[in-house]
Amino acid sequence: MTVKMRILLSISITVIILPALAQACSVCFSGDDDALTHAFNWSVGFLLAAPYAIAGTIAGCLVIAYRRAAAKQAVSAELEAQEAINPLIWTQEESAK
C-alpha cells in the first residue's frame, strides 16, 4: 500500500469508529432549533449578502453621479441657449429708440 492509501484508510476507519469527528459544522452538532444553528445560518446569510450590498452601493453612487452631471449639463446648455437668444429679443424700450 502507498502512503496515500494508508492515510485515506486510517481517516476512513477513524470516521467510521468515531462518527462525532465527522460532524464538522455547527448544523451537524445540533438540531434544527438550536441557537448555534440559527447563528450559523444568519452569519452565512450576511456573508452572502455583503458583496451584493457593496456592489449595489457602488452602482447607486454611480447612477446618482451620472444623473447629477446630466442635469447640470442640461441646465448649462439651457443657459447658453438663453444667452444666445437674449441679444435677439427686442424689448419695448429698444423699440422706442
Side-chain angles (χ1 to χ4, degrees), residues 70-86:
K72 188 175 181 180
Q73 187 177 13
V75 168
S76 66
E78 185 178 321
L79 287 176
E80 287 178 8
Q82 186 66 30
E83 289 175 2
I85 294 175
N86 278 344

Side-chain angles (χ1 to χ4, degrees), residues 3-81:
V3 176
K4 289 182 181 180
M5 290 298 290
R6 287 182 186 170
I7 292 173
L8 184 62
L9 183 63
S10 64
I11 291 173
S12 300
I13 290 172
T14 305
V15 168
I16 291 171
I17 293 173
L18 301 171
L21 293 177
Q23 297 174 346
C25 67
S26 67
V27 177
C28 299
F29 284 127
S30 60
D32 292 336
D33 293 332
D34 189 35
L36 185 63
T37 303
H38 290 296
F40 181 74
N41 289 337
W42 275 100
S43 66
V44 169
F46 282 123
L47 288 173
L48 287 172
Y52 295 109
I54 293 169
T57 302
I58 292 171
C61 289
L62 291 174
V63 167
I64 290 171
Y66 175 77
R67 287 183 180 176
R68 284 183 182 171
K72 188 175 181 180
Q73 187 177 13
V75 168
S76 66
E78 185 178 321
L79 287 176
E80 287 178 8

